Amino acid sequence: MKQEILFIHSAGPQEGKQGSSQLIAYLQKSIGSEYSFSSPAMPDPENPSYDLWKNVLKEKLSEVNGSVILIGHSLGGSVLLKYLSEGNCNVSISGLFVLGSPYWGLDKDWILKEFELSDKFAARLPQISQIYLYHSQNDEVVPFSHFEHYAHKLPQANARIFENYGHLFQDGLPELVQDIEAINC
């Protein structure tokens, strides 16, 4: 049976070379045939609602057979962490990868109550054998301080800092592919 990967994309337009589209295309091309890759279109990405995204996530996770690797890019990572910490997941998670995600409520430019995590979200996450946090120092959208806050809240996570990948990781992320492959070794 193939290892399932579920990728939750960023907010904003996803067509062409916008949003997470190039990163998704890179991953689909780069991961081996032993993986089943899914990246559902999330509702109204230019005006996202947590409840609508949560419903899609719940539906997609209900279709998982065996364990799953979860990847969330930008808002997608925030949504995964919120969903998982609210006790909504009954699926075995082999790995969780959070890329360039905002920590909602951390500063005045990132206030959106519906996406904010509880203060004790980390303690409420289900058992996940491997958690990875990725952020580029030249991220032009999400400040690096958000990554630092996640790393503080999730000290068990593997923190990966990059210099020049930007926010969209448009040129790919070979380190992500290597880390995914290492989970199944």
Side-chain angles (χ1 to χ4, degrees), residues 66-119:
S67 67
V68 65
I69 293 172
L70 298 174
I71 305 171
H73 177 226
S74 194
L75 179 64
S78 300
V79 167
L80 281 171
L81 286 168
K82 183 170 177 69
Y83 180 84
L84 295 172
S85 66
E86 291 178 348
N88 295 318
C89 187
N90 295 320
V91 174
S92 175
I93 302 167
S94 301
L96 172 64
F97 298 85
V98 178
L99 293 73
S101 291
Y103 196 100
W104 296 98
L106 184 61
D107 55 54
K108 64 179 176 52
D109 295 326
W110 292 90
I111 303 291
L112 207 48
K113 292 280 187 201
E114 69 181 300
F115 292 104
E116 287 183 18
L117 297 167
S118 74
D119 286 338

Side-chain angles (χ1 to χ4, degrees), residues 36-51:
S36 171
F37 186 90
S38 172
S39 178
M42 299 305 275
D44 201 4
E46 294 185 55
N47 187 27
S49 155
Y50 176 71
D51 285 336

